[in-house]
Amino acid sequence: MTELDLVVRARRVITEGGEPARCVGVAAGRIVAVEPYDSSLTAARSVVLEDDEVLLPGLVDTHVHVNEPGRTEWEGFASATRAAAAGGVTTIVDMPLNSVPPTVDTGALAAKRAAAEPQCHVDVGFWGGAIPGNTRGLRALHDAGVFGFKCFLVHSGVEEFPHLTARGFEEALTELRSFDGLMIVHAEDPDVIDGAPAPRGARYDDFLASRPRGAEDTAIAQVIELARRTGARAHILHLSSSDALPMIASARRDGVRITVETCPHYLTFTAEQVPDGATQYKCCPPIREAANRESLWRGLADGVIDCVVSDHSPCTPELKHLDAGDFGTAWGGISSLQVGLSAVWTEARARGFALADVARWMAERPAEIAGVRGKGHIAAGHDADFCVFAPDAVQVVDAAALHHKNPVTPYAGATLSGAVRGAWLRGEPIDPARPRGRLLTRAGAAVGASEAEWRKM
Ligand SMILES: [Zn+2]
């Protein structure tokens, strides 16, 4: 048998078979054996988890806005990946906006890679962007290794990333179908939003009324029908309106290739609880009512919602207009990368879910949907990426102590269940002083420099 570099023993290991006590053997950065706890496996380095700790696969967060280059004061690769590691997230996939340039052509992708390369503490992949006028360039971005393409059906919030019209969306989907690319969609309908009252002022209810469920539901219906017509794969980002769940389930039964994610904030907060003027809660689509939140949890239980990812979308405190508390002018986006696991676990355990469920939503399924190879499972052949989690520990979130670049988050002061005690990347503990993260390409993409390195392992 291969000589091992590392053996990790834990009383609870999240694996295919549940949460058994296991001994995990690692060689050259990959898991090579998962055996009973008392197995005689030995290695140069041996680690035994404390009795209150669980070994989870490193989480895979496929929805992170790093904002570098161009808006590095909002976050950046160094701070984002440090926060990710501290939160048990060992792989992120970066969104194609709000960096400048946005990742809408191969030159912009090269700029992203150059910015990220020297400073990542976790592995990082990239989404491309589909905007008006770049349909013919999508194939080249796909070949360059992006995991898929993000588009908006409504104004994105930044001028340099315009949204697609219905016709442009269908054209882009048709193009993606030709190479089986994945389209990930911000699904809100601009006509419904134009017809709703404009967001202004400090009252949360007014902001909520400006982004009604109907805007999401209408746009999702359109995504479903165009995915059905073109045969392309589509993924609904940050689902907030639970009213859309029945039609998503029905489309899937018909064989439409559609998947869906939601986010920790929709599963944690409720509109009823958001204080007026508290723009740290502003995001689009918005946090909705308590009954909607419970329906989202049922969507996870039923398997209609595939996964939970952060949509970490920070900005500077100034742009949140915290003094004025005006939901109309504040930047929309919630900062949560480092606390997502504990936030979801807190709410999940209260509803009777197991840690294995959380690992499926936050590691396994995001990796599968995006095509992030070798991630998301504790199983032989996968990267030895681990999150050491103490599920019964209690933490009170101190926003200033998080690694996020800006200390604005609606989780500030929240009491959460579970603490991340460590994160491992390819068989070594992540050291905040020594960035070892690699740049990832989609399974099946042309082999670039990072990929060649991956294969050598
Ligand atoms: Zn986003």
Side-chain angles (χ1 to χ4, degrees):
M1 145 143 218
T2 337
E3 209 153 307
L4 300 179
D5 304 314
L6 169 72
V7 166
V8 183
R9 285 187 170 77
R11 294 286 168 196
R12 291 168 70 191
V13 177
I14 304 295
T15 67
E16 222 76 74
E19 305 183 5
R22 282 289 179 267
C23 168
V24 180
V26 174
R30 297 232 185 123
I31 299 166
V32 295
V34 180
E35 299 202 349
Y37 187 89
D38 297 325
S39 145
S40 59
L41 290 183
T42 55
R45 180 174 201 170
S46 173
V47 172
V48 181
L49 265 52
E50 299 293 333
D51 284 350
D52 69 338
E53 294 173 344
V54 184
L55 191 69
L56 269 66
L59 303 189
V60 177
D61 190 340
T62 53
H63 195 151
V64 179
H65 295 266
V66 176
N67 306 325
E68 182 173 3
R71 290 194 179 92
T72 309
E73 69 278 16
W74 291 14
E75 192 60 274
F77 285 101
S79 55
T81 58
R82 211 174 273 129
V89 176
T90 52
T91 302
I92 64 170
V93 186
D94 170 60
M95 280 292 166
L97 72 163
N98 310 303
S99 55
V100 183
T103 320
V104 294
D105 55 44
T106 53
L109 178 63
K112 277 263 192 186
R113 288 184 192 275
E117 182 89 64
Q119 50 174 343
C120 293
H121 296 276
V122 304
D123 286 355
V124 177
F126 301 96
W127 296 109
I131 60 169
N134 82 337
T135 306
R136 288 183 187 285
L138 298 179
R139 178 74 198 234
L141 259 178
H142 177 80
D143 289 344
V146 297
F147 285 82
F149 299 89
K150 180 177 198 180
C151 73
F152 280 74
L153 301 181
V154 69
H155 196 285
S156 73
V158 292
E159 297 304 324
E160 69 276 5
F161 199 97
H163 67 276
L164 295 176
T165 60
R167 187 194 198 115
F169 179 58
E170 180 167 3
E171 280 171 11
L173 274 184
T174 303
E175 176 66 9
L176 294 198
R177 179 70 185 99
S178 72
F179 50 83
D180 205 26
L182 173 65
M183 183 70 96
I184 62 173
V185 188
H186 181 121
E188 285 184 288
D189 184 281
D191 292 336
V192 176
I193 287 175
D194 284 348
R200 67 169 67 93
R203 283 191 63 223
Y204 188 76
D205 285 351
D206 291 343
F207 171 62
L208 185 57
S210 77
R211 313 287 298 208
R213 295 180 192 216
E216 279 193 87
D217 305 338
T218 305
I220 290 169
Q222 183 182 34
V223 173
I224 289 171
E225 292 322 311
L226 290 176
R228 190 194 307 273
R229 190 186 304 168
T230 59
R233 288 191 294 144
H235 176 75
I236 304 295
L237 297 164
H238 46 52
L239 180 78
S240 171
S241 170
S242 62
D243 290 356
L245 290 169
M247 67 177 153
I248 293 168
S250 152
R252 264 204 207 148
R253 284 194 293 273
D254 292 348
V256 177
R257 301 163 81 201
I258 192 155
T259 50
V260 58
E261 69 183 35
T262 190
C263 307
H265 37 277
Y266 303 124
L267 297 168
T268 301
F269 304 118
T270 65
E272 293 89 337
Q273 298 167 332
V274 177
D276 287 342
T279 53
Q280 63 270 35
Y281 291 86
K282 178 180 175 180
C283 59
C284 297
I287 293 161
R288 302 187 191 279
E289 305 81 353
N292 182 78
R293 176 183 68 174
E294 296 317 306
S295 298
L296 292 176
W297 278 105
R298 277 194 294 282
L300 280 165
D302 296 345
V304 181
I305 299 177
D306 294 275
C307 59
V308 182
V309 292
S310 70
D311 193 7
H312 178 71
S313 186
C315 66
T316 59
E318 296 74 42
L319 290 172
K320 275 293 190 186
H321 297 278
L322 291 163
D323 293 344
D326 187 329
F327 283 100
T329 54
W331 171 257
I334 282 183
S335 195
S336 66
L337 182 54
Q338 190 173 332
V339 297
L341 172 59
S342 292
V344 172
W345 171 235
T346 301
E347 299 293 323
R349 78 183 318 186
R351 292 169 177 80
F353 293 100
L355 260 182
D357 297 316
V358 174
R360 190 173 68 253
W361 303 327
M362 300 186 80
E364 181 182 332
R365 286 297 287 149
E368 285 171 0
I369 289 167
V372 188
R373 129 191 62 199
K375 306 291 190 184
H377 289 270
I378 296 179
H382 283 70
D383 286 357
D385 296 352
F386 305 126
C387 163
V388 177
F389 189 62
D392 298 321
V394 174
Q395 57 164 320
V396 177
V397 177
D398 174 1
L402 299 174
H403 293 284
H404 304 163
K405 186 167 277 179
N406 293 291
V408 178
T409 171
Y411 293 96
T415 302
L416 301 179
S417 290
V420 174
R421 297 252 178 92
W424 294 64
L425 184 65
R426 278 175 270 103
E428 283 184 48
I430 294 176
D431 173 356
R434 200 168 64 91
R436 281 191 303 116
R438 290 189 185 161
L439 305 189
L440 304 177
T441 52
R442 188 195 67 261
V447 176
S450 310
E451 182 65 7
E453 209 174 277
W454 192 89
R455 294 208 175 175
K456 259 191 278 158
M457 298 255 346

